[in-house]
Amino acid sequence: LKAGAEALKKAANRYIAGETLTEALQTIRQLNSKGYTVTTDFMGASIRTEKEAREAADAFIALLPLLVLHTDKTPAPLLVA
């Protein structure tokens, strides 16, 4: 079971820019420098309450100017709840 989870995580990491905003921005910059265009998905699958939804929306809104400032491409964000 552990080996299966590790294999799944390794496969998924190809599509995950980072676990923190700093990691994600660094990965996006690296990909942009190689000529890649990226999309940014902000996942909210664990949201259960209105308060959590508002907090996630606020975090998503705060993310947009950071993407513009720290990447060389136009961000293409996607909010998934």
Side-chain angles (χ1 to χ4, degrees):
L1 199 60
K2 184 178 177 183
E6 289 176 12
L8 183 59
K9 183 175 181 177
K10 184 177 179 181
N13 280 341
R14 177 178 178 193
Y15 302 99
I16 298 172
E19 292 188 25
T20 67
L21 179 57
T22 301
E23 290 175 358
L25 290 173
Q26 181 180 18
T27 301
I28 292 167
R29 281 193 299 269
Q30 289 172 349
L31 291 169
N32 287 166
S33 73
K34 295 177 181 179
Y36 293 101
T37 300
V38 302
T39 60
T40 306
D41 300 344
F42 187 92
M43 307 304 284
S46 64
I47 293 171
R48 299 287 182 249
T49 67
E50 182 178 340
K51 180 179 183 275
E52 291 173 339
R54 290 185 189 281
E55 289 170 352
D58 290 343
F60 181 74
I61 291 167
L63 172 67
L64 294 175
L66 293 172
L67 289 172
V68 171
L69 288 172
H70 296 284
T71 65
D72 67 352
K73 304 287 183 187
T74 302
L78 172 65
L79 177 61
V80 178

